[in-house]
Amino acid sequence: MEIVIQETPEAATEIAAMIVARLLREKPDAVLGLATGSTPLLLYRSLIEKKLDWSRVTTFNLDEYIGLPQDHPQSYHSFMWTNLFRHVNIDRARVHIPDGNAKDIPGVCAAYEKRIRAAGGIDLQILGIGTDGHIGFNEPTSSLASRTRIKTLTPQTRKDNARFFGDEESVPHHVVTMGIGTIMEAREVLLLAFGAQKAQAVAEAAEGPMTAINPASALQMHPEARFCLDTGAASKLQRAEYYRWVYDNKPDWQRP
Ligand code: GLP
């Protein structure tokens, strides 16, 4: 696992944006796994500004709320079109977001896994992290081998996400999310985390034991996982100085 610590969210985002941009230039038909939440907003803004060619890019989003109409402002469909897709030349047919309104949700989950495989697998998966260590919507104690399925949100996550909905009552209880096993199959994983409220979850994910209580800790088993953090999110890492030194002294050929 590589841990990159930068002073600000903007600086950490820029490194992530360079990695995504390089992939899209080198592999114009890349398959991206995308995340929602406030954390990747800067990344999407930066990618829009880079004026990349998205015409052959395929995307799979991590998750979606169940029962929220697609045109609801807080659905992840709305989020993605508002914050990224509308601003780039992506082919609508190559965009995949789980359908949280389907009658047969288990069928939707199985089909989602199949489509990822048919697309050749995910080249690069973007992740945020919940304050409880969740990735996608894989809440604590999710199976580390899990696949796309229904999950029930914890009270903590509903409270965290209430800021988008106005009140906690309006936050759905159920979601569809890629599993941890699904995420682990991406060839490269890039987790972004900003702010001191993420520091505990980040420290446990990177330096704690690998445990289902912190789902992001599964990334310790991923051969190409990178965390891009600001100083707040990095503030509880025991070996922060070491990670900074490693990054500052990388040979040029190893730099993102
Ligand atoms: C949501 C999303 C996650 C996201 C997390 C953190 O619940 N399902 O993909 O990483 O919460 O959100 P934020 O970036 O807003 O802190």
Side-chain angles (χ1 to χ4, degrees), residues 58-235:
T58 298
T59 65
F60 288 92
N61 262 81
L62 283 166
D63 45 15
E64 179 58 288
Y65 292 106
I66 290 184
L68 209 57
Q70 272 186 17
D71 59 1
H72 186 285
Q74 294 310 327
S75 79
Y76 287 165
H77 278 77
S78 297
F79 177 100
M80 289 310 301
W81 282 98
T82 304
N83 295 302
L84 178 64
F85 297 148
R86 184 188 295 168
H87 309 281
V88 296
N89 64 334
I90 198 156
D91 175 355
R92 185 173 277 269
R94 293 179 188 271
V95 168
H96 303 89
I97 305 174
D99 180 0
N101 289 293
K103 280 209 180 77
D104 174 18
I105 298 274
V108 161
C109 296
Y112 207 64
E113 290 279 334
K114 239 175 147 173
R115 294 190 92 158
I116 294 173
R117 271 199 301 278
I122 292 171
D123 290 303
L124 174 62
Q125 176 67 55
I126 306 296
L127 294 175
I129 184 170
T131 56
D132 59 4
H134 73 245
I135 48 176
F137 266 136
N138 292 283
E139 294 286 31
T141 72
S142 287
S143 159
L144 300 187
S146 49
R147 313 303 307 190
T148 303
R149 69 211 183 293
I150 297 176
K151 285 295 288 181
T152 306
L153 297 182
T154 60
Q156 177 66 48
T157 298
R158 293 187 64 244
K159 203 189 256 168
D160 287 348
N161 287 2
R163 68 188 194 280
F164 299 115
F165 286 82
D167 64 286
E168 209 174 310
E169 272 314 290
S170 310
V171 183
H173 285 266
H174 294 101
V175 295
V176 181
T177 181
M178 274 186 207
I180 298 174
T182 322
I183 293 168
M184 290 293 285
E185 280 173 11
R187 285 183 270 282
E188 193 178 341
V189 174
L190 189 47
L191 183 147
L192 293 161
F194 309 137
Q197 73 282 6
K198 300 288 174 71
Q200 189 65 31
V202 165
E204 285 168 9
E207 296 177 334
M210 193 178 77
T211 163
I213 282 291
N214 182 310
S217 68
L219 298 172
Q220 293 176 21
M221 290 291 284
H222 197 288
E224 293 288 340
R226 187 181 273 119
F227 284 16
C228 288
L229 312 172
D230 71 349
T231 42
S235 58

